[in-house]
Amino acid sequence: MSEPNAVPAASLAQSRLTSLVSHFRTTHKHKIVVTRNLGPDVMPLLLNRPEFEVITWPEDSVCDRDWFLKTIPGASGILVMLSEKINPETLDAAGPSLKVVSTMSVGYDHCELDALAQRGVKLGHTPDVLTDAVADLSVMLALMAGRNSKETTGIVQNGQWPNFNWAPFSFCGPQLSSSSFNPTRTAGFIGFGRISQATLARLIPFGFTHCLFTGNPNSSGTSTIAAEIQAKYPSLKGVRRVSLDELAKESDVVFVLAPGGKETYHIVNEGFLRQMKKTAVLVNTSRGTLVDSDALAKALREGWLWGAGIDVVEGEPNVGLDHPLVKEPRCVVLPHIGSATNESRLGMATLAAQNLIAGVLGEPLPAELQLTK
Ligand SMILES: O=CC(=O)O
């Protein structure tokens, strides 16, 4: 006969197991690797979670690849920048514990989607929060390129202004807004997603009369979008989805705003540039790979178009003074600053942290890119 207060063996084992699980839960932390310090407003979202062990690349520079590969084994989540390649090497180094990659960017051409999908790793990115900033910059570059800002600011910066007398037609370029001389203004968009549409909204008060766009009708619902845009902006006299050739021939400003990757590689090439109006301006605020830099430099040199404003260059950041586009006086080149407003970067860092947290905890990501297997 057992003692009246004795604990049965099975119940003892169960309680030991429960306490072991609870001990594991409190001591086992999810390993998180972050490749840039996201600052005092955002890092606490990660650091203040007791269930996370957060390891951050300690330098104020692009994360070293060797450090990254040595640090990620066993990670549940990694938060990266555009500079980090997410490929089979990365994913194999992280191992099967990896649940989510969160990139602080809207673009994801640095990530191999197939490799992520095959391993069941989710991908978070940061759409919407940078749309306005990039649309603002797109219009700024259209203005800068049309108004010869590289040459003219150079004159002031180099102390040459005293040598220049005002002359009736010096430094003139094509006006962005419509005028009695030029009542028709056509914006052409290569890719017609959120940023293109926000750019168009900014061009309406400039008196733009026509909107042309290219894009995959299945990817962004572009089959009905023309009618929606026309209804939204009754001042437009035409909104049409067109071929690339038509877009090149008819646009006063071409905005390159499609995702990078194989499908769009050098979509703006010599053939496209040769068809542009001599007074037209090309703006690229998406990815450098969409534009053939040598072809654009030749086009500007030979006057096939008026000017170009580019925030992205193929091969960046290795773009020095000897780059053919940096040498072109009618090409304004910026160092990929499209989303660089305080508001936008804070929004991106916050969303990237939220995507990471949700992915690690197995919850729906606020902004997940749907991967197809
Ligand atoms: O280029 C910037 C981004 O993709 O966020």
Side-chain angles (χ1 to χ4, degrees):
M1 217 173 98
S2 63
E3 299 284 324
N5 290 335
V7 181
S11 146
L12 197 62
Q14 178 64 42
S15 112
R16 282 211 180 115
L17 185 64
T18 313
S19 104
L20 263 175
V21 169
S22 131
H23 174 74
F24 180 77
R25 282 217 179 106
T26 48
T27 54
H28 174 79
K29 296 188 176 224
H30 296 290
K31 180 172 173 183
I32 307 293
V33 179
V34 183
T35 63
R36 285 309 271 265
N37 186 328
L38 302 178
D41 292 319
V42 180
M43 283 312 287
L45 297 181
L46 302 172
L47 295 170
N48 291 347
R49 297 193 78 99
E51 71 274 43
F52 284 5
E53 178 204 359
V54 181
I55 306 175
T56 308
W57 164 243
E59 312 284 331
D60 188 14
S61 60
V62 170
C63 179
D64 176 72
R65 181 83 183 161
D66 286 342
W67 178 92
F68 184 51
L69 293 178
K70 277 194 202 116
T71 310
I72 54 178
S76 303
I78 55 184
L79 194 157
V80 299
M81 310 293 127
L82 284 176
S83 41
E84 277 74 67
K85 295 268 168 279
I86 302 301
N87 53 20
E89 180 189 40
T90 323
L91 301 172
D92 291 344
S97 55
L98 188 65
K99 292 184 178 162
V100 62
V101 172
S102 170
T103 179
M104 186 179 148
S105 61
V106 64
Y108 42 81
D109 51 329
H110 54 305
C111 304
E112 289 189 28
L113 304 187
D114 288 351
L116 285 158
Q118 278 156 14
R119 291 163 180 79
V121 177
K122 291 182 174 176
L123 179 63
H125 69 143
T126 61
D128 298 319
V129 286
L130 47 55
T131 299
D132 286 326
V134 182
D136 288 351
L137 194 96
S138 302
V139 175
M140 175 180 128
L141 280 172
L143 285 161
M144 289 178 82
R147 301 297 294 275
N148 300 313
S149 74
K150 186 176 194 173
E151 198 186 352
T152 50
T153 53
I155 284 168
V156 179
Q157 291 304 123
N158 296 331
Q160 294 166 330
W161 194 1
N163 308 329
F164 280 88
N165 290 322
W166 188 92
F169 293 103
S170 56
F171 305 127
C172 289
Q175 183 164 304
L176 187 68
S177 44
S178 61
S179 67
S180 53
F181 295 103
N182 223 347
T184 302
R185 302 296 286 154
T186 301
F189 296 95
I190 299 181
F192 202 52
R194 289 172 287 249
I195 301 175
S196 287
Q197 291 175 41
T199 303
L200 174 65
R202 285 154 174 75
L203 295 175
I204 299 296
F206 282 85
F208 269 69
T209 50
H210 293 77
C211 166
L212 306 177
F213 62 93
T214 64
N216 176 354
N218 301 323
S219 69
S220 57
T222 42
S223 49
T224 57
I225 197 79
E228 285 167 26
I229 294 290
Q230 182 64 79
K232 190 166 177 188
Y233 304 114
S235 62
L236 284 176
K237 296 187 171 65
V239 183
R240 280 184 304 129
R241 179 169 185 268
V242 293
S243 66
L244 264 179
D245 288 349
E246 207 175 333
L247 188 134
K249 281 184 199 135
E250 291 186 21
S251 301
D252 294 301
V253 187
V254 171
F255 293 94
V256 184
L257 278 165
K262 284 197 284 284
E263 286 102 54
T264 55
Y265 184 74
H266 286 191
I267 196 165
V268 174
N269 54 20
E270 183 161 336
F272 181 95
L273 293 160
R274 277 189 184 279
Q275 299 183 74
M276 287 182 73
K277 293 182 184 177
K278 287 197 174 0
T279 51
V281 159
L282 179 89
V283 172
N284 185 7
T285 44
S286 56
R287 286 289 181 268
T289 50
L290 278 83
V291 174
D292 178 343
S293 295
D294 290 332
L296 178 57
K298 181 174 173 193
L300 289 165
R301 237 179 0 258
E302 299 190 1
W304 306 346
L305 74 163
W306 179 269
I310 58 175
D311 184 41
V312 284
V313 181
E314 188 175 6
E316 66 183 59
N318 298 318
V319 180
L321 289 176
D322 58 344
H323 192 282
L325 290 176
V326 175
K327 288 201 264 184
E328 277 309 309
R330 292 260 182 90
C331 189
V332 179
V333 186
L334 298 178
H336 203 149
I337 58 158
S339 63
T341 63
N342 299 327
E343 294 79 357
S344 173
R345 289 285 166 86
L346 194 55
M348 291 167 73
T350 306
L351 184 52
Q354 290 166 339
N355 280 333
L356 184 88
I357 295 167
V360 169
L361 300 182
E363 293 165 6
L365 274 56
E368 178 174 353
L369 191 84
Q370 293 307 326
L371 304 173
T372 45
K373 281 202 185 169

